[in-house]
């Protein structure tokens, strides 16, 4: 199992060392192991930290999260619980969030981003303010935007595209989770939580289903792009090809 110091843990989770310590003080994050004066965190801590951050993003308070975690842990094996948390909350990408200053972020846009554009990017969740720095959750998404700007696409259009893509991917994520709710979980009752005996099996199911969701979306996008590209080429270059064929006759 991987081990982390507190600064590495915070960086991988996309938060700050100060926040990690706050969550630990509030009882939301288990205490680390100690090796002399060094605090050592594990993948289980990273899984719990991502779970806490996700709940905070959804608007839950510290007290509500503490109550949910306490209820979840009551009467259950903590090792099994953290194993399930790890599978469910591990990232869907190998990207590591980046932290930039506001000046560095403005430079990334190459003069295309005014204050209103940056504010819209914050509202879309592409960037997040963390004190004096800006957290970039997906450097690849930032790179894609930079390439579109370099190709001549206006900033408002780039943000429109980002908003539409994020909305559709949110819908896809919700679709897969409804599928799990309706057909995988043993119960559809709102107040249901798994028993001690059910946690290991749910962990194995989660391990199997996670890559299938990503593969299905990737395969469907590839088919759609191939189909749409063929239609686009016919519209854009069909007349030109017809002219060339006429010249050769």
């Amino acid at each position: 199992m991987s081990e982390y110091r507190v600064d590495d843990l915070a960086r991988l989770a996309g938060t700050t060392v100060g926040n990690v310590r706050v969550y630990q003080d509030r009882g939301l994050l288990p205490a680390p192991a100690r090796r002399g004066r060094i605090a050592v965190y594990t993948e289980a801590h990273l899984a719990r930290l991502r779970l806490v951050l996700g709940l905070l993003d959804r608007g839950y308070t510290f007290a509500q999260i503490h109550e949910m975690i306490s209820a979840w842990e009551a009467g259950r094996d903590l090792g099994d619980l953290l194993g399930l948390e790890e599978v469910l909350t591990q990232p869907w990408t190998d990207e590591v969030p980046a932290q930039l200053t506001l000046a560095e972020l403005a430079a990334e846009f190459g003069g295309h981003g005014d204050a209103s554009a940056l504010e819209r990017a914050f509202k879309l969740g592409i960037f997040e303010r963390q004190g004096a720095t800006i957290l970039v959750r997906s450097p690849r998404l930032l790179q894609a935007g930079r390439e579109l700007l370099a190709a001549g696409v206006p900033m408002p259009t780039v943000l429109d595209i980002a908003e539409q893509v994020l909305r559709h991917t949110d819908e896809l994520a919700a679709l897969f989770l409804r599928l799990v709710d309706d057909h995988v979980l043993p119960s559809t009752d709102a107040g249901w939580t798994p028993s001690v005996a059910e946690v290991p099996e749910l962990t194995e199911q989660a391990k199997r289903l996670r890559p299938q969701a990503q593969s299905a979306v990737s395969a469907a996008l590839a088919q759609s792009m191939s189909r749409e590209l063929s239609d686009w080429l016919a519209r854009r270059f069909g007349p030109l090809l017809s002219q060339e064929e006429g010249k050769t006759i």
Side-chain angles (χ1 to χ4, degrees):
M1 179 176 287
S2 299
E3 295 182 343
Y4 314 101
R5 295 192 179 192
V6 65
D7 52 343
D8 296 321
L9 181 78
R11 178 175 52 83
L12 289 169
T15 188
T16 64
V17 170
N19 283 341
V20 171
R21 290 178 175 143
V22 168
Y23 305 151
Q24 192 172 310
D25 291 342
R26 296 295 184 96
L28 307 181
L29 192 65
R34 287 281 174 182
R35 292 193 182 148
R37 300 178 62 182
I38 299 175
V40 178
Y41 296 84
T42 67
E43 291 174 0
H45 289 93
L46 183 57
R48 172 62 64 84
L49 181 55
R50 285 174 174 145
L51 176 64
V52 169
L53 291 170
L55 291 171
L56 288 171
D57 284 343
R58 299 288 292 176
Y60 289 97
T61 65
F62 285 153
Q64 289 171 325
I65 296 172
H66 187 275
E67 183 178 352
M68 282 188 283
I69 289 175
S70 298
W72 175 243
E73 290 177 346
R76 292 167 172 82
D77 182 86
L78 186 58
D80 285 342
L81 171 62
L82 291 178
L84 180 58
E85 280 186 13
E86 183 181 342
V87 173
L88 294 177
T89 62
Q90 65 183 256
W92 289 74
T93 175
D94 58 359
E95 279 193 285
V96 176
Q99 288 187 320
L100 304 175
T101 65
L102 190 58
E104 289 171 335
L105 184 60
E108 288 286 339
F109 283 117
H112 294 277
D114 56 18
S116 62
L118 289 176
E119 189 59 35
R120 186 177 176 192
F122 284 122
K123 289 181 179 178
L124 288 173
I126 299 171
F127 309 132
E128 179 183 329
R129 292 184 178 89
Q130 288 193 343
T133 62
I134 307 299
L135 179 71
V136 181
R137 292 195 175 277
S138 172
R140 290 175 189 165
L141 191 59
L142 178 61
Q143 173 66 20
R146 186 166 52 234
E147 293 296 334
L148 288 173
L149 290 171
V153 181
M155 173 63 81
T157 304
V158 170
L159 291 173
D160 286 343
I161 293 170
E163 184 173 4
Q164 292 179 55
V165 168
L166 291 170
R167 183 175 67 251
H168 290 310
T169 51
D170 283 347
E171 292 170 353
L172 286 170
L175 175 66
F176 279 109
L177 291 176
R178 282 198 301 271
L179 180 147
V180 172
D181 262 340
D182 295 341
H183 302 288
V184 177
L185 296 183
S187 173
T188 57
D189 293 341
W192 173 85
T193 57
S195 66
V196 175
E198 290 170 326
V199 168
E201 174 59 25
L202 287 174
T203 302
E204 289 304 313
Q205 288 180 327
K207 287 179 180 178
R208 293 194 300 269
L209 290 175
R210 275 181 61 94
Q212 300 312 315
Q214 216 159 9
S215 295
V217 172
S218 178
L221 178 60
Q223 283 193 341
S224 296
M225 286 299 297
S226 179
R227 182 172 57 250
E228 291 296 325
L229 181 59
S230 295
D231 293 343
W232 180 81
L233 287 171
R235 290 195 307 271
R236 291 295 184 184
F237 297 100
L240 176 62
L241 293 175
S242 297
Q243 292 174 13
E244 292 299 319
E245 288 177 358
K247 291 178 182 178
T248 60
I249 294 176

